[in-house]
Amino acid sequence: PSPGVRTAVPPPRAAATDRPPQGRRAVERSLEPLTYLSAAGEQIGSSLDHLQAARTLAEVLVPRLADFAAVELLETVVADSAPPADEVDETTLMRRVAVAHNDEPGRWDEAVPEGEVLFLPSGTPFVQAMRTGRPVHIPCVDPERAARIAAAFGDRDLRPLFTGRALLIAPLIARGKVLGTFKLIRKPDRPGFDELDLAMVDELGRRAALCVDNGRLYSREVRVAEELQRSMLPDDPPDVAGARVRYRYRPAEEAAQVGGDWFDAIPLPGCRLGIVVGDVMGHGLTSAAIMGQLRTAVRTLAAEDMRPERLLRQLDSLARRLGEDYLATCLFAVYDPVERRCTIANAGHVPPVLVSADGESRVLPVPPGVPIGVGGEPFETMEVKVEDGSHLVLCTDGLLERRDRDIDKGLEELRGRLAGASADLDGTCDDLLDTLAAPTPADDIAIVAVGFDGIPYDDVVTWDLEPEPGTVPWIRAQVADRLAGWGLQALTDTAQLLVSELVTNALVHSAGSLGLRLVKGRTLLCEVHDDGADMPHLRHADATDESGRGLQLVSHLATRWGTHRTDGGKIVWFEQRIRPA
């Protein structure tokens, strides 16, 4: 400005804290609906349970917007037995899932109980709101209208609930589908619903409907994942010779944590037992589905009698074909009750604990390996001689890892709990869950305990056979003598016939090495091994064919039969059922 000219300076603008008390209260009053809507929306959306979201809606409406509030959902939404209905009429089944009011406790418990199933006549404002998708507002319910509304609820006199009161019925609509309604009632001494109230109810209704529908969809996904996971897990442990198996499985406390833990015990040829424990990384439906595929693959590969490290390699290849992000840990062990030997390979899983017959426990130093799906790294197998009376415990990391305990510490606590453990495998598994598992586990827990009893040496006999025609009648006689010694004469005729077929076939196709083993377990097992490379297979034989009937005979007379490769050739085996005396 020029010299001698004064410029008027405007006074500073008052800060919010400098405003008169009346101004601050006006601002607070204008912001109160937004604050209320924000807090109410957070409460409604705080649960992934669609029914709890409906209950919370009723609770936040009273007393701020109503003196009485009730939420009624379509029965198909409550049970999630079908998608929400496209059309709503008097045949549509409803259920009252929530009631809230500021009357004395119990005032409306009998008149409008929670959980009541309803058929609402088409002329009622409740059905009108659902059909039109817009709220129905009755500023004051006169006695005649109160009587008509009350008649929709049967022979109970609900006129006192409606007469002379303001009634607002709003639909719950999400993704274009009607889920139900909620009604608000104000007492006669309270002003009716104004435009601001209607706007807030509309906003809360949209938020609540979306939360209810999200909760319904989430519950469906969890249920599907749980059903898939449950269907993929084994039922009862197999009853096998020389071993006892017990399982324990505890799902995560949080439904969202449905995961990919799996376990299995697989009877293998030669009275052996395959034991597997695995854990797909991640949670939810995808993890459960991948778990099912891997478990099926393990069972299929185990039936081919692969060594554990080769089985894991094949499983790794499968996982990488399924997708780059599918990772899993897995431990696979094979117990041979005749050789008293356990063969183990690991793919990034927690190692097992072996408890000797005298109670000494130790964590087996199994090569750790990389998880299934990583690829590019070999797997190693270790062999452990196991004595009769010992047992092996395998688990997933959900048992060991907690917020206050890492896996290494949990593994040491597991070893300590197993020291001196009895032969009662059920008691052992229950004790581990009671003492090591978190009260509310954040991850699934799987435990497999296997007792190593072995097959008595007197119940196993092996013959090395000469590759000459006279071997067949000689081994038939040896088999008959052994079965007589075991008291299994009833099996002799069939066993001799099947032994003749398999030994004759081995003489034709082997290069020189030939042998037979009989094992008396839950069944009578006969194995014929040779050094031939060609695997026999069942095929159709016509009347004029000179070969092909031997395996048809074996398939018809044996309880089970099969073939598998060995390092030096192959084994063809059959089983006969031992009938109890």
Side-chain angles (χ1 to χ4, degrees):
S2 302
V5 178
R6 292 185 179 180
T7 303
V9 178
R13 192 174 291 178
T17 54
D18 297 331
R19 290 174 183 166
Q22 297 86 351
R24 288 201 302 271
R25 284 196 291 270
V27 172
E28 290 171 356
R29 282 196 299 272
S30 66
L31 293 177
E32 189 275 336
L34 297 177
T35 304
Y36 165 72
L37 286 176
S38 176
E42 286 186 12
Q43 292 181 54
I44 295 170
S46 63
S47 173
L48 289 171
D49 183 337
H50 61 301
L51 299 184
Q52 182 57 45
R55 296 186 192 101
T56 305
L57 170 63
E59 292 168 359
V60 300
L61 292 171
V62 177
R64 174 60 180 82
L65 289 173
D67 298 305
F68 178 97
V71 181
E72 285 145 4
L73 300 178
L74 304 184
E75 181 64 15
T76 55
V77 173
V78 174
D80 193 25
S81 56
D86 292 321
E87 296 290 334
V88 177
D89 55 30
E90 64 274 8
T91 65
T92 302
L93 196 61
M94 308 280 293
R95 184 181 294 273
R96 186 182 300 109
V97 297
V99 175
H101 58 82
N102 57 10
D103 285 307
E104 64 273 14
R107 171 70 175 85
W108 302 105
D109 287 357
E110 294 185 4
V112 283
E114 288 188 6
E116 181 182 15
V117 177
L118 307 166
F119 284 105
L120 299 177
S122 57
T124 62
F126 311 104
V127 174
Q128 179 185 344
M130 289 189 287
R131 280 182 171 176
T132 63
R134 290 183 289 183
V136 175
H137 179 208
I138 305 175
C140 183
V141 181
D142 58 51
E144 182 180 351
R145 178 171 280 182
R148 290 200 304 269
I149 295 175
F153 297 92
D155 55 359
R156 284 162 293 174
D157 187 5
L158 295 183
R159 287 175 296 176
L161 178 63
F162 297 105
T163 304
R165 301 187 175 200
L167 172 63
L168 178 61
I169 302 166
L172 289 169
I173 301 175
R175 300 179 175 93
K177 298 288 187 179
V178 176
L179 307 180
T181 65
F182 63 104
K183 60 175 172 281
L184 297 81
I185 300 175
R186 285 184 174 177
K187 295 176 182 178
D189 58 356
R190 185 173 179 178
F193 298 98
D194 57 23
E195 292 298 323
L196 178 60
D197 295 331
L198 295 177
M200 288 195 292
V201 168
D202 182 64
E203 178 63 22
L204 282 177
R206 282 182 296 170
R207 294 188 188 186
L210 193 59
C211 291
V212 168
D213 200 44
N214 286 343
R216 179 184 66 85
L217 296 174
Y218 173 80
S219 298
R220 173 178 295 181
E221 179 179 340
V222 170
R223 185 169 62 253
V224 169
E226 289 175 339
E227 291 175 357
L228 175 62
Q229 185 182 47
R230 188 163 44 249
S231 69
M232 291 297 180
L233 294 175
D235 295 322
D236 296 327
D239 183 17
V240 296
R244 292 166 292 114
V245 184
R246 296 294 182 270
Y247 304 141
R248 288 295 184 276
Y249 174 73
R250 179 178 292 178
E253 185 71 17
E254 292 288 337
Q257 298 299 311
V258 171
D261 287 23
W262 91 91
F263 55 93
D264 212 345
I266 309 165
L268 300 176
C271 294
R272 291 167 303 149
L273 178 68
I275 310 144
V276 61
V277 173
D279 184 2
V280 176
M281 297 182 184
H283 299 90
L285 187 59
T286 300
S287 294
I290 294 300
M291 175 271 288
Q293 295 182 72
L294 294 182
R295 176 176 179 259
T296 301
V298 168
R299 276 195 159 260
T300 303
L301 295 171
E304 298 297 320
D305 203 34
M306 294 182 179
R307 284 183 57 82
E309 78 279 4
R310 187 178 171 212
L311 182 144
L312 293 184
R313 190 162 60 249
Q314 294 290 335
L315 197 64
D316 176 74
S317 177
L318 169 65
R320 284 185 283 130
R321 288 198 298 271
L322 292 175
E324 294 181 358
D325 298 329
Y326 298 145
L327 300 177
T329 63
C330 181
L331 189 143
F332 184 70
V334 176
Y335 169 58
D336 188 331
V338 177
E339 301 292 337
R340 271 78 173 172
R341 181 179 62 237
C342 195
T343 309
I344 308 172
N346 191 18
H349 201 77
V350 293
V353 176
L354 179 65
V355 184
S356 65
D358 58 8
E360 180 184 355
S361 62
R362 62 189 178 105
V363 178
L364 291 181
V366 183
V370 297
I372 297 296
V374 172
E377 296 291 334
F379 299 102
E380 300 180 45
T381 294
M382 71 171 293
E383 292 189 355
V384 181
K385 295 293 289 186
V386 290
E387 58 186 336
D388 294 349
S390 61
H391 56 273
L392 188 71
V393 176
L394 307 88
C395 68
T396 55
D397 57 6
L399 177 68
L400 307 177
E401 193 172 26
R402 291 164 46 172
R403 290 185 179 90
D404 59 343
R405 185 181 66 200
D406 61 22
I407 288 183
D408 290 337
K409 184 177 179 182
L411 190 59
E412 178 56 29
E413 289 189 26
L414 172 64
R415 187 205 61 77
R417 292 297 310 177
L418 290 173
S422 70
D424 178 12
L425 299 182
D426 286 308
T428 296
C429 292
D430 292 337
D431 176 69
L432 294 179
L433 285 177
D434 292 340
T435 58
L436 295 183
T440 55
D443 197 0
D444 296 352
I445 297 173
I447 301 174
V448 180
V450 185
F452 298 143
D453 299 330
I455 293 178
Y457 293 105
D458 291 341
D459 290 343
V460 181
V461 60
T462 303
W463 293 278
D464 291 325
L465 305 180
E466 296 295 330
E468 55 187 38
T471 293
V472 175
W474 180 82
I475 192 60
R476 283 170 55 94
Q478 297 300 313
V479 167
D481 289 343
R482 176 55 63 174
L483 293 182
W486 286 338
L488 301 178
Q489 294 91 332
L491 305 181
T492 300
D493 291 342
T494 301
Q496 285 184 310
L497 179 58
L498 299 182
V499 164
S500 297
E501 291 294 336
L502 296 189
V503 172
T504 299
N505 190 66
L507 287 172
V508 172
H509 297 285
S510 69
S513 177
L514 184 65
L516 184 145
R517 183 171 77 166
L518 282 183
V519 181
K520 186 185 75 168
R522 297 287 189 272
T523 61
L524 175 68
L525 170 68
C526 176
E527 298 176 319
V528 176
H529 63 85
D530 64 66
D531 56 6
D534 295 334
M535 299 292 287
H537 59 275
L538 188 65
R539 61 186 177 87
H540 177 73
D542 293 327
T544 57
D545 290 342
E546 296 183 359
S547 63
R549 296 186 182 85
L551 286 184
Q552 286 188 345
L553 187 64
V554 174
S555 177
H556 179 70
L557 296 178
T559 303
R560 292 197 312 155
W561 75 278
T563 64
H564 61 92
R565 294 192 182 277
T566 65
D567 292 338
K570 65 176 180 293
I571 289 178
V572 185
W573 57 271
F574 68 83
E575 290 181 358
Q576 289 178 265
R577 184 178 294 109
I578 297 177
R579 302 187 183 279

Short mmCIF file of all heavy atoms in Angstrom, two decimals, residues 157-179:
data_model
loop_
_atom_site.label_atom_id
_atom_site.label_comp_id
_atom_site.label_asym_id
_atom_site.label_seq_id
_atom_site.Cartn_x
_atom_site.Cartn_y
_atom_site.Cartn_z
N ASP A 157 -52.90 -61.98 20.18
CA ASP A 157 -53.39 -60.61 20.07
C ASP A 157 -52.20 -59.65 20.13
O ASP A 157 -51.69 -59.32 21.21
CB ASP A 157 -54.37 -60.30 21.21
CG ASP A 157 -55.02 -58.93 21.02
OD1 ASP A 157 -54.77 -58.30 19.97
OD2 ASP A 157 -55.77 -58.50 21.93
N LEU A 158 -51.75 -59.22 18.94
CA LEU A 158 -50.62 -58.31 18.87
C LEU A 158 -51.06 -56.87 18.62
O LEU A 158 -50.22 -56.01 18.31
CB LEU A 158 -49.67 -58.75 17.74
CG LEU A 158 -48.96 -60.10 17.94
CD1 LEU A 158 -48.01 -60.36 16.78
CD2 LEU A 158 -48.19 -60.10 19.24
N ARG A 159 -52.34 -56.60 18.77
CA ARG A 159 -52.81 -55.24 18.55
C ARG A 159 -52.12 -54.23 19.47
O ARG A 159 -51.80 -53.11 19.02
CB ARG A 159 -54.32 -55.18 18.73
CG ARG A 159 -55.07 -55.83 17.56
CD ARG A 159 -56.56 -55.86 17.81
NE ARG A 159 -56.89 -56.69 18.98
CZ ARG A 159 -58.12 -56.83 19.46
NH1 ARG A 159 -59.13 -56.16 18.90
NH2 ARG A 159 -58.35 -57.62 20.51
N PRO A 160 -51.86 -54.56 20.75
CA PRO A 160 -51.17 -53.55 21.60
C PRO A 160 -49.79 -53.18 21.07
O PRO A 160 -49.30 -52.09 21.36
CB PRO A 160 -51.07 -54.25 22.96
CG PRO A 160 -52.18 -55.24 22.96
CD PRO A 160 -52.30 -55.72 21.55
N LEU A 161 -49.16 -54.09 20.32
CA LEU A 161 -47.83 -53.80 19.79
C LEU A 161 -47.89 -52.75 18.67
O LEU A 161 -46.95 -51.96 18.50
CB LEU A 161 -47.18 -55.08 19.27
CG LEU A 161 -45.79 -54.96 18.62
CD1 LEU A 161 -44.77 -54.46 19.64
CD2 LEU A 161 -45.35 -56.29 18.05
N PHE A 162 -49.01 -52.72 17.91
CA PHE A 162 -49.09 -51.87 16.73
C PHE A 162 -49.99 -50.64 16.91
O PHE A 162 -49.73 -49.59 16.32
CB PHE A 162 -49.60 -52.68 15.53
CG PHE A 162 -48.69 -53.80 15.12
CD1 PHE A 162 -49.00 -55.12 15.42
CD2 PHE A 162 -47.52 -53.53 14.43
CE1 PHE A 162 -48.16 -56.15 15.05
CE2 PHE A 162 -46.67 -54.56 14.04
CZ PHE A 162 -46.98 -55.88 14.36
N THR A 163 -51.08 -50.76 17.67
CA THR A 163 -52.10 -49.71 17.73
C THR A 163 -51.53 -48.38 18.23
O THR A 163 -50.87 -48.32 19.27
CB THR A 163 -53.26 -50.14 18.63
OG1 THR A 163 -53.79 -51.39 18.15
CG2 THR A 163 -54.36 -49.09 18.64
N GLY A 164 -51.79 -47.34 17.45
CA GLY A 164 -51.39 -46.00 17.83
C GLY A 164 -49.91 -45.73 17.73
O GLY A 164 -49.43 -44.68 18.19
N ARG A 165 -49.17 -46.60 17.11
CA ARG A 165 -47.72 -46.45 17.03
C ARG A 165 -47.27 -46.23 15.59
O ARG A 165 -47.96 -46.63 14.63
CB ARG A 165 -47.04 -47.70 17.59
CG ARG A 165 -47.41 -47.97 19.05
CD ARG A 165 -46.60 -49.10 19.61
NE ARG A 165 -46.86 -49.28 21.04
CZ ARG A 165 -46.06 -49.92 21.88
NH1 ARG A 165 -44.93 -50.44 21.44
NH2 ARG A 165 -46.37 -50.03 23.14
N ALA A 166 -46.11 -45.63 15.45
CA ALA A 166 -45.51 -45.46 14.13
C ALA A 166 -44.81 -46.77 13.74
O ALA A 166 -44.08 -47.36 14.54
CB ALA A 166 -44.51 -44.32 14.14
N LEU A 167 -45.07 -47.22 12.52
CA LEU A 167 -44.53 -48.50 12.04
C LEU A 167 -43.75 -48.25 10.75
O LEU A 167 -44.23 -47.59 9.83
CB LEU A 167 -45.66 -49.49 11.78
CG LEU A 167 -45.30 -50.82 11.11
CD1 LEU A 167 -44.36 -51.64 11.99
CD2 LEU A 167 -46.56 -51.62 10.79
N LEU A 168 -42.56 -48.80 10.70
CA LEU A 168 -41.73 -48.71 9.50
C LEU A 168 -41.20 -50.10 9.18
O LEU A 168 -40.57 -50.74 10.03
CB LEU A 168 -40.57 -47.74 9.73
CG LEU A 168 -39.58 -47.58 8.56
CD1 LEU A 168 -40.29 -47.03 7.32
CD2 LEU A 168 -38.42 -46.67 8.95
N ILE A 169 -41.49 -50.57 7.98
CA ILE A 169 -41.05 -51.89 7.54
C ILE A 169 -40.12 -51.68 6.35
O ILE A 169 -40.51 -51.09 5.34
CB ILE A 169 -42.23 -52.78 7.13
CG1 ILE A 169 -43.20 -52.93 8.32
CG2 ILE A 169 -41.74 -54.16 6.68
CD1 ILE A 169 -44.54 -53.50 7.92
N ALA A 170 -38.87 -52.16 6.48
CA ALA A 170 -37.88 -51.98 5.42
C ALA A 170 -37.40 -53.33 4.92
O ALA A 170 -37.22 -54.27 5.71
CB ALA A 170 -36.69 -51.17 5.95
N PRO A 171 -37.22 -53.47 3.61
CA PRO A 171 -36.73 -54.75 3.07
C PRO A 171 -35.22 -54.87 3.23
O PRO A 171 -34.50 -53.88 3.30
CB PRO A 171 -37.11 -54.68 1.59
CG PRO A 171 -37.04 -53.21 1.28
CD PRO A 171 -37.48 -52.49 2.54
N LEU A 172 -34.76 -56.10 3.28
CA LEU A 172 -33.33 -56.40 3.26
C LEU A 172 -33.02 -56.98 1.87
O LEU A 172 -33.45 -58.10 1.55
CB LEU A 172 -32.96 -57.40 4.35
CG LEU A 172 -33.00 -56.87 5.79
CD1 LEU A 172 -32.90 -58.02 6.79
CD2 LEU A 172 -31.88 -55.87 6.03
N ILE A 173 -32.31 -56.21 1.07
CA ILE A 173 -32.03 -56.60 -0.31
C ILE A 173 -30.53 -56.49 -0.55
O ILE A 173 -29.93 -55.45 -0.25
CB ILE A 173 -32.80 -55.72 -1.32
CG1 ILE A 173 -34.30 -55.82 -1.06
CG2 ILE A 173 -32.46 -56.11 -2.75
CD1 ILE A 173 -35.13 -54.89 -1.92
N ALA A 174 -29.95 -57.55 -1.07
CA ALA A 174 -28.52 -57.55 -1.39
C ALA A 174 -28.32 -58.25 -2.73
O ALA A 174 -28.88 -59.32 -2.98
CB ALA A 174 -27.72 -58.27 -0.30
N ARG A 175 -27.53 -57.60 -3.58
CA ARG A 175 -27.22 -58.14 -4.91
C ARG A 175 -28.49 -58.47 -5.70
O ARG A 175 -28.57 -59.46 -6.42
CB ARG A 175 -26.33 -59.38 -4.79
CG ARG A 175 -24.99 -59.09 -4.10
CD ARG A 175 -24.14 -60.33 -3.95
NE ARG A 175 -22.83 -59.97 -3.40
CZ ARG A 175 -22.54 -59.98 -2.10
NH1 ARG A 175 -23.46 -60.33 -1.22
NH2 ARG A 175 -21.34 -59.63 -1.68
N GLY A 176 -29.51 -57.62 -5.51
CA GLY A 176 -30.75 -57.76 -6.24
C GLY A 176 -31.67 -58.84 -5.72
O GLY A 176 -32.71 -59.10 -6.34
N LYS A 177 -31.34 -59.47 -4.62
CA LYS A 177 -32.14 -60.55 -4.06
C LYS A 177 -32.72 -60.13 -2.71
O LYS A 177 -32.03 -59.54 -1.88
CB LYS A 177 -31.30 -61.82 -3.87
CG LYS A 177 -30.73 -62.40 -5.16
CD LYS A 177 -31.82 -63.04 -6.00
CE LYS A 177 -31.21 -63.76 -7.21
NZ LYS A 177 -32.24 -64.43 -8.02
N VAL A 178 -33.99 -60.47 -2.49
CA VAL A 178 -34.64 -60.18 -1.22
C VAL A 178 -34.24 -61.22 -0.19
O VAL A 178 -34.36 -62.42 -0.42
CB VAL A 178 -36.17 -60.16 -1.38
CG1 VAL A 178 -36.85 -59.94 -0.03
CG2 VAL A 178 -36.59 -59.07 -2.35
N LEU A 179 -33.77 -60.75 0.96
CA LEU A 179 -33.36 -61.65 2.04
C LEU A 179 -34.39 -61.70 3.16
O LEU A 179 -34.45 -62.67 3.91
CB LEU A 179 -32.02 -61.20 2.62
CG LEU A 179 -30.87 -61.00 1.63
CD1 LEU A 179 -29.62 -60.55 2.38
CD2 LEU A 179 -30.60 -62.26 0.84
#
